[in-house]
Amino acid sequence: MIRIGDFARIGQVSVVTLRHYDEIDLLKPIAVDIATNYRYYSVAQLPRLNRILALKDLGFSLDQIEQVLNGLTVEQLRGMLKLKQAEVQQQIADEQARLTRIEVRLKQIESEDNMPEYDVVLKMVPAVLIASRSVTIPTNDQVPLYLDAALFEAYNYATTNGARAIGDWFAIWHQPAETLANEVAEAAVPIDHAVPGSDQVKVYELPRTQVASVIHYGAFKNLVQEHTALLRWIEAHSYETVGTYREIYIKHDRENMTDSATEIQYPVEKRS
């Protein structure tokens, strides 16, 4: 018999690890001293310990290792390995994408010799049910007048029909940000459940979408700078826009726009 400390040294694991394997019935000692509670192992148990360590190195959890040790078929083991292979490949792809973002940020800092003014975030936004009122805005300076009226029309219609508004109101813009005349927008109010639509107010679900996002603080007159920064980021990171962009009105006060916060979201996908 081998004392636990010696067995740990031979197997190159800690005593704490062996105690944990004992507690979860993954690797039990062959004997335990009744008086001292000291654990003893056998040389014949080293192959089992080595298999545990080899499977851990492949990224398997202890629960999965227990399944393997308890007698999986070759096909079952092959299936587990293929799943783990796909998982690791996705992790590598995610880290490669992170590396690309770091390289782009470094180039941006080197070219501008200062910290980037806008921080772009890539994220998934969940599906959302909205009450939507489309509106055509003759000139850009009339956006507050037309868009606010459309937002409140969508809100009043939805709540009058029994829905509850949830989340921040937003606009979906159907042309590039540099278009400043005859702009088509949807004033969108997220709601908790579907209600019948009308000729003016549509009720539908926006699907779950990956977006590149940036936060704008203050009045809308400088909003084009964030759009430019976002589109440059999308191009630099080998993405492309796939659909209409959104402006989420996180904090919105027409009386004090300097304290407003707006999130700009462009739906994107990796460029093939």
Side-chain angles (χ1 to χ4, degrees), residues 167-224:
D168 297 314
W169 298 2
F170 59 95
I172 304 170
W173 297 90
H174 290 267
Q175 60 282 307
E178 60 267 23
T179 301
L180 301 179
N182 296 319
E183 299 174 79
V184 178
E186 288 183 64
V189 176
I191 55 177
D192 63 344
H193 68 269
V195 297
S198 69
D199 291 339
Q200 289 76 35
V201 178
K202 307 301 180 185
V203 176
Y204 67 97
E205 184 178 78
L206 290 170
R208 183 174 182 264
T209 307
Q210 179 177 239
V211 301
S213 162
V214 71
I215 303 294
H216 169 84
Y217 294 99
F220 290 154
K221 63 181 180 180
N222 297 323
L223 206 59
V224 68

Side-chain angles (χ1 to χ4, degrees), residues 30 65 86-87 103 106 112 132 134 150 155 174 179 188 197 202-203 207-208 244 247 261:
I30 60 169
I65 291 172
E87 180 183 321
E103 291 171 349
L106 281 171
E112 299 176 3
S132 164
S134 293
Y155 169 80
H174 290 267
T179 301
K202 307 301 180 185
V203 176
R208 183 174 182 264
T244 53
E247 291 177 355

Side-chain angles (χ1 to χ4, degrees), residues 13-28:
V13 295
S14 69
V15 170
V16 172
T17 296
L18 289 176
R19 288 172 179 161
H20 180 58
Y21 290 171
D22 178 16
E23 291 169 357
I24 64 174
D25 295 331
L26 192 61
L27 181 61
K28 304 289 290 182

Side-chain angles (χ1 to χ4, degrees), residues 99-111 114-116 118-120 233 237:
L99 181 60
T100 300
R101 294 196 294 272
I102 292 171
E103 291 171 349
V104 170
R105 178 59 69 94
L106 281 171
K107 289 179 181 177
Q108 186 179 3
I109 291 173
E110 290 166 1
S111 65
N114 57 24
M115 285 290 291
Y118 306 110
D119 290 309
V120 177
W233 186 97
H237 289 79

